[in-house]
Amino acid sequence: MNKTLRSMTAAALTVAGLLTVVSLPAAAAVKPHKYKAHICYELTATALKSARVTTKGCPKGYSPTKPNLQGTG
């Protein structure tokens, strides 16, 4: 009886482990971003900020081109 219980427990753990290994890669797969990552710039009164985004366009207040910080004078 004791041998049977041990072998049944070992078989159950083996099956559970194999099911975990088989199902884990499918569940852990990450969908790639629809858009390629790019940099957007925001010019504030005190600094030039940049943000890496993966959306179609830049968020409100940001520009896809780096602003010229050179003054005209």
Side-chain angles (χ1 to χ4, degrees), residues 23-32:
S23 65
L24 184 62
V30 177
K31 289 184 178 181

Side-chain angles (χ1 to χ4, degrees), residues 6-7 9-12 14 17 20 26 28 40-42 44-46 48 50-53 62 64:
R6 284 183 185 171
S7 63
T9 304
T14 303
T20 302
C40 292
Y41 301 96
E42 179 187 27
T44 64
T46 57
L48 174 66
S50 62
R52 184 181 175 103
V53 295
Y62 283 80

Side-chain angles (χ1 to χ4, degrees), residues 9-19:
T9 304
L13 289 173
T14 303
V15 169
L18 289 174
L19 287 174

Side-chain angles (χ1 to χ4, degrees), residues 47-65:
L48 174 66
K49 296 180 181 179
S50 62
R52 184 181 175 103
V53 295
T54 55
T55 58
K56 185 175 181 180
C58 292
K60 187 175 181 179
Y62 283 80
S63 169
T65 58

